[in-house]
């Protein structure tokens, strides 16, 4: 694969989701911790500039990870999923600003997740164009719901060019808030 020729930080309004530029796809990621079950949930939602769902993923990881480790893992899972779907121009968006800053090179990653962040940066080379973006948790609700959805599944479930029923209402709210404030 060729080296990524476009890496940048995109600063969004902190409280709402915004679609990517024309021709790009936005990968929203989030995690959920299930302490009693000693597992975590990974949620990945990929949408285009017209707010259409390209792909979505709910994945269970049987490991008792902490919040920072989960958030680093979801960044990696989001890029792996986008690569597997065949996307080349993507914005990776999450709600933990210090990890997004570490990916952009504006700060060092926390020591506990440095190897995972290095793996994410290595994955970045497999995309033609890549940007990073931070969004407030309120703007990341569908990805969070996908992460919580793993309590209902054994391993993982993915949707290609369709919406998961568990995020329908949150997707509608994203669209309404985007168009309301244009």
């Amino acid at each position: 694969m060729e080296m990524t020729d476009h890496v940048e930080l995109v600063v969004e309004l902190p409280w709402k989701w915004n679609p990517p530029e024309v021709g790009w796809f936005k990968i929203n990621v989030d995690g959920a911790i299930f302490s009693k079950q000693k597992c975590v949930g990974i949620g990945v939602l990929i949408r285009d500039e017209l707010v259409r769902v390209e792909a979505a993923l709910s994945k269970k990881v049987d490991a008792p990870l902490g919040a920072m480790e989960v958030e680093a893992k979801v960044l990696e899972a989001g890029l792996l999923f986008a690569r597997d779907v065949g996307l080349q121009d993507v914005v990776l968006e999450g709600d933990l600003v210090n990890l997004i800053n570490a990916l952009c090179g504006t700060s060092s990653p926390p020591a506990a997740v440095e190897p995972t962040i290095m793996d994410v940066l290595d994955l970045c080379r497999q995309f033609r164009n890549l940007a990073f973006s931070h969004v407030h948790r309120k703007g990341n609700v569908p990805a969070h719901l996908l992460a919580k959805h793993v309590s209902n599944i054994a391993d993982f479930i993915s949707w290609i060019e369709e919406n998961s029923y568990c995020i329908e209402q949150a997707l509608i709210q994203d669209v309404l808030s985007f168009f309301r404030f244009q």
Side-chain angles (χ1 to χ4, degrees):
M1 286 277 166
E2 292 182 23
M3 199 54 186
T4 299
D5 63 2
H6 181 85
V7 176
E8 65 181 51
L9 172 64
V10 179
V11 179
E12 303 286 354
L13 290 176
W15 54 271
K16 73 177 189 116
W17 183 85
N18 285 302
E21 295 178 26
V22 173
W24 286 59
F25 295 88
K26 187 172 277 188
I27 310 164
N28 282 87
V29 296
D30 204 6
I33 298 173
F34 301 95
S35 301
K36 291 181 182 178
Q37 295 87 0
K38 295 182 180 168
C39 71
V40 298
I42 291 174
V44 179
L45 179 63
I46 303 173
R47 292 183 274 185
D48 67 11
E49 74 274 2
L50 298 175
V51 196
R52 294 179 299 214
V53 173
E54 178 70 19
L57 171 73
S58 288
K59 181 178 180 180
K60 185 180 285 186
V61 176
D62 291 319
L65 301 175
M68 185 74 63
E69 292 85 6
V70 172
E71 292 297 327
K73 282 290 185 193
V74 301
L75 293 166
E76 183 179 38
L79 283 181
L80 287 169
F81 190 49
R83 181 198 65 193
D84 292 347
V85 171
L87 305 179
Q88 283 295 303
D89 303 309
V90 299
V91 178
L92 180 61
E93 184 169 79
D95 57 21
L96 205 56
V97 71
N98 59 343
L99 293 184
I100 298 297
N101 286 341
L103 290 172
C104 293
T106 58
S107 68
S108 297
V113 297
E114 186 173 3
T116 305
I117 294 300
M118 298 310 291
D119 289 344
V120 171
L121 289 170
D122 189 48
L123 273 170
C124 292
R125 296 188 332 220
Q126 298 183 25
F127 294 87
R128 181 177 44 229
N129 293 299
L130 177 73
F132 302 105
S133 176
H134 172 260
V135 67
H136 189 275
R137 187 171 184 171
K138 289 180 182 178
N140 209 26
V141 172
H144 186 70
L145 292 173
L146 286 166
K148 288 175 63 174
H149 184 64
V150 302
S151 64
N152 301 319
I153 61 175
D155 186 20
F156 77 94
I157 186 169
S158 61
W159 300 265
I160 305 295
E161 296 180 351
E162 64 179 315
N163 299 342
S164 161
Y165 69 89
C166 70
I167 62 171
E168 279 292 332
Q169 193 61 38
L171 289 172
I172 292 167
Q173 291 302 317
D174 274 358
V175 171
L176 291 176
S177 68
F178 172 70
F179 288 110
R180 184 178 308 130
F181 295 104
Q182 288 301 308

